[in-house]
Amino acid sequence: MTAMEFNHQLIGLEKNLKQYARSLTYNRDDADDLVQDTYLKALANRNKFADFTNLKAWTYTIMKNTFINNYRRSVRENTAFDNTNDLYYLNAGKEPQFYAPDTDYSAKEITREIEKLESDLKLPFTMYNNGYKYKEIARQLDLKIGTVKSRIFFSRKKLMKSLNEYQ
């Protein structure tokens, strides 16, 4: 494939690339930047494209990998390092926390409502709130993952109904 044919076919994918980029970023400006980065990488690596293969799939792969790399880079940039002995800066938080007088009462009331749940709903719900993943809960309680998800869902519904004054 000549460079002219390659460029023509690549430009023909613009509408599809913009749609795909918007589905990844959910932001028009970021999507346009992603399309531009994809074009740049595709043109720079034209010699790596094998003739008589799917240009659209190749370009989509470039876009997906670019998006993932940009996301990972942004996560790394937002990571904070605290070299103090007691991790003061990480533990301090961004703003001082002031609790309302009724906060302690609210937490006790919520805990009381959780304790009122039936045990088959309460156990998966408390495990999920303690940081367990659905698969871990299912494995530990010997349940199907769908059963775990529905029990957590029904627990939430019951708690929302009984604690409707907090909504």
Side-chain angles (χ1 to χ4, degrees):
M1 173 183 303
T2 67
M4 191 75 111
E5 292 171 334
F6 179 83
N7 293 344
H8 181 71
Q9 287 183 13
L10 191 61
I11 290 174
L13 296 174
E14 182 176 12
K15 181 181 174 188
N16 294 329
L17 289 174
K18 282 188 176 186
Q19 258 184 333
Y20 185 51
R22 284 193 187 117
S23 75
L24 292 172
T25 62
Y26 299 108
N27 180 313
R28 175 171 280 173
D29 293 333
D30 290 342
D32 290 342
D33 290 344
L34 184 58
V35 170
Q36 187 175 5
D37 288 345
T38 303
Y39 275 143
L40 183 65
K41 288 182 180 182
L43 291 172
N45 294 297
R46 185 181 79 80
N47 59 338
K48 295 179 182 174
F49 176 71
D51 286 341
F52 307 110
T53 58
N54 191 344
L55 178 65
K56 185 176 179 181
W58 184 74
T59 312
Y60 272 41
T61 302
I62 291 172
M63 180 175 282
K64 180 186 66 158
N65 290 339
T66 302
F67 174 75
I68 291 170
N69 290 339
N70 289 344
Y71 175 78
R72 287 178 179 160
R73 187 176 305 114
S74 72
V75 167
R76 269 195 313 271
E77 289 171 356
N78 292 329
T79 302
F81 292 100
D82 186 1
N83 294 326
T84 59
N85 290 335
D86 58 354
L87 301 177
Y88 173 78
Y89 295 113
L90 287 177
N91 293 325
K94 293 185 179 183
E95 297 178 14
Q97 295 178 352
F98 298 103
Y99 295 104
D102 61 343
T103 303
D104 192 39
Y105 172 74
S106 302
K108 287 178 184 175
E109 189 172 338
I110 292 169
T111 304
R112 189 177 328 115
E113 290 298 322
I114 291 172
E115 291 299 321
K116 289 181 185 178
L117 291 171
E118 301 89 46
S119 63
D120 62 325
L121 294 177
K122 180 174 54 173
L123 188 56
F125 180 78
T126 54
M127 289 176 74
Y128 183 76
N129 279 346
N130 289 332
Y132 287 91
K133 306 283 186 231
Y134 290 128
K135 288 181 181 180
E136 295 170 330
I137 298 168
R139 191 176 334 108
Q140 195 163 353
L141 299 178
D142 196 30
L143 296 171
K144 294 183 179 179
I145 194 162
T147 305
V148 171
K149 288 180 180 181
S150 65
R151 287 184 181 178
I152 292 170
F153 172 78
F154 288 124
S155 299
R156 286 179 180 152
K157 292 240 344 160
K158 283 188 173 193
L159 288 171
M160 283 191 290
K161 188 175 181 182
S162 64
L163 297 167
N164 63 355
E165 64 220 36
Y166 292 104
Q167 291 183 355

